[in-house]
Amino acid sequence: MKIDIIGAGCVGSVIGERLLSTNHQVGFIAKGRIKDELLKNGIVVNNKKIDIKITSDKSDLIIVCVKNYDLEQACEDMKEYVDDNTIILPFLNSISPTPTIQNFFPKNRVLYGYITKIDSYRDSDGYHYNIAGDIHFGDKENKQIDEKLTI
C-alpha cells in the first residue's frame, strides 16, 4: 500500500516516523517552500533524522495532518495524488473536517478519524514524543473490518 501524509508537523511527523517502520511505501505531500525544506532537511523525530520521500504519484491512502485552517489548501494540494480508489483519513482536531474533504473528493472514501493522547512537541532539535497516541477511525457506519485499513 502506498501511504502519503500531508502535514509534517507534530502529528504528521510522528505518524510518518511510525509508518516508515512498516513494509508500506510512505511519502509526504508538500509543495513550494515546505517541499524544499523537507527535501533538504528531512524531519527529526526523537533526535533521529529521517530522510523522507516527497510523493510524485497517486496514493492508496492519504493521511491528512494539517491544522483546520489549512484544510482547504491541503485538499487543493492533494488533488493530483488522488484517484477514485484513494482513501482519505483525516487526523485533525475532531471529526468535523470529514465533510469538507468529502466536498473536495465526492467520489472517494473519506473516513472519520482523529488521534488522542499524542504528546508530541517541537523544539529547536525537531519533533519529540513519548506517546504516539491512540488512533480512532472508521466509516460513518462501521459494518465490517476493511482489510485494506489494517496495518
Side-chain angles (χ1 to χ4, degrees), residues 11 19 27 31 36 44-45 59 67 85 88 99 117 147:
V11 173
L19 284 172
K31 300 196 181 253
D36 295 342
V44 176
V45 179
S59 303
K67 300 287 188 200
N85 299 311
I88 302 170
K117 301 180 185 171
E147 293 299 318

Short mmCIF file of all heavy atoms in Angstrom, two decimals, residues 11 19 27 31 36 44-45 59 67 85 88 99 117 147:
data_model
loop_
_atom_site.label_atom_id
_atom_site.label_comp_id
_atom_site.label_asym_id
_atom_site.label_seq_id
_atom_site.Cartn_x
_atom_site.Cartn_y
_atom_site.Cartn_z
N VAL A 11 1.89 16.02 14.51
CA VAL A 11 1.18 14.76 14.28
C VAL A 11 1.75 14.04 13.05
O VAL A 11 2.11 12.86 13.12
CB VAL A 11 -0.34 14.99 14.13
CG1 VAL A 11 -1.05 13.70 13.73
CG2 VAL A 11 -0.92 15.53 15.43
N LEU A 19 5.06 4.92 10.54
CA LEU A 19 4.74 4.16 9.33
C LEU A 19 5.99 3.73 8.56
O LEU A 19 5.97 2.71 7.89
CB LEU A 19 3.83 4.97 8.42
CG LEU A 19 2.38 5.05 8.84
CD1 LEU A 19 1.62 6.04 7.96
CD2 LEU A 19 1.72 3.68 8.79
N GLY A 27 5.28 8.36 1.89
CA GLY A 27 5.80 9.62 1.41
C GLY A 27 5.01 10.78 2.00
O GLY A 27 4.04 10.59 2.73
N LYS A 31 4.50 21.06 -1.16
CA LYS A 31 4.77 21.92 -2.31
C LYS A 31 5.57 23.14 -1.86
O LYS A 31 5.62 23.46 -0.67
CB LYS A 31 3.45 22.37 -2.94
CG LYS A 31 2.62 21.21 -3.43
CD LYS A 31 1.54 21.66 -4.37
CE LYS A 31 0.74 20.45 -4.79
NZ LYS A 31 0.98 20.04 -6.12
N ASP A 36 10.75 22.04 -0.41
CA ASP A 36 12.19 22.27 -0.45
C ASP A 36 12.84 22.01 0.91
O ASP A 36 13.90 21.39 1.00
CB ASP A 36 12.49 23.70 -0.91
CG ASP A 36 12.04 23.96 -2.35
OD1 ASP A 36 11.83 22.98 -3.10
OD2 ASP A 36 11.89 25.15 -2.70
N VAL A 44 13.24 15.50 11.86
CA VAL A 44 13.94 14.93 13.01
C VAL A 44 12.89 14.58 14.04
O VAL A 44 12.13 15.44 14.48
CB VAL A 44 14.98 15.91 13.59
CG1 VAL A 44 15.64 15.32 14.83
CG2 VAL A 44 16.03 16.27 12.54
N VAL A 45 12.83 13.29 14.40
CA VAL A 45 11.86 12.81 15.37
C VAL A 45 12.63 12.05 16.45
O VAL A 45 13.38 11.12 16.15
CB VAL A 45 10.81 11.88 14.72
CG1 VAL A 45 9.83 11.37 15.76
CG2 VAL A 45 10.08 12.61 13.60
N SER A 59 -1.89 8.07 -4.64
CA SER A 59 -1.82 7.45 -3.32
C SER A 59 -2.95 6.45 -3.14
O SER A 59 -4.05 6.65 -3.64
CB SER A 59 -1.96 8.52 -2.23
OG SER A 59 -0.99 9.51 -2.36
N LYS A 67 -3.49 21.65 10.18
CA LYS A 67 -4.39 22.42 11.05
C LYS A 67 -5.71 22.65 10.32
O LYS A 67 -5.76 22.72 9.09
CB LYS A 67 -3.76 23.76 11.42
CG LYS A 67 -2.45 23.64 12.16
CD LYS A 67 -2.67 23.18 13.57
CE LYS A 67 -1.37 23.24 14.35
NZ LYS A 67 -1.39 22.41 15.52
N ASN A 85 -9.79 5.53 -6.30
CA ASN A 85 -9.56 4.48 -5.31
C ASN A 85 -8.83 4.96 -4.06
O ASN A 85 -8.63 4.18 -3.13
CB ASN A 85 -8.78 3.32 -5.94
CG ASN A 85 -9.55 2.70 -7.08
OD1 ASN A 85 -10.72 2.38 -6.94
ND2 ASN A 85 -8.91 2.56 -8.22
N ILE A 88 -9.03 8.56 2.05
CA ILE A 88 -8.51 9.74 2.75
C ILE A 88 -8.89 9.64 4.22
O ILE A 88 -10.05 9.40 4.55
CB ILE A 88 -9.05 11.03 2.12
CG1 ILE A 88 -8.68 11.07 0.63
CG2 ILE A 88 -8.52 12.26 2.86
CD1 ILE A 88 -9.36 12.17 -0.16
N PRO A 99 -16.61 16.12 6.33
CA PRO A 99 -17.50 16.66 5.28
C PRO A 99 -16.80 17.64 4.33
O PRO A 99 -17.09 17.65 3.13
CB PRO A 99 -18.61 17.35 6.07
CG PRO A 99 -18.62 16.67 7.39
CD PRO A 99 -17.19 16.33 7.67
N LYS A 117 -4.27 11.50 22.86
CA LYS A 117 -3.19 11.13 23.77
C LYS A 117 -1.80 11.23 23.18
O LYS A 117 -0.86 10.73 23.75
CB LYS A 117 -3.42 9.73 24.33
CG LYS A 117 -4.72 9.58 25.08
CD LYS A 117 -4.89 8.17 25.60
CE LYS A 117 -6.25 8.01 26.23
NZ LYS A 117 -6.55 6.64 26.56
N GLU A 147 -9.91 -4.95 5.26
CA GLU A 147 -8.54 -5.44 5.30
C GLU A 147 -7.55 -4.41 4.78
O GLU A 147 -6.39 -4.40 5.19
CB GLU A 147 -8.42 -6.74 4.52
CG GLU A 147 -9.17 -7.90 5.13
CD GLU A 147 -8.68 -8.25 6.54
OE1 GLU A 147 -7.46 -8.25 6.77
OE2 GLU A 147 -9.53 -8.50 7.41
#
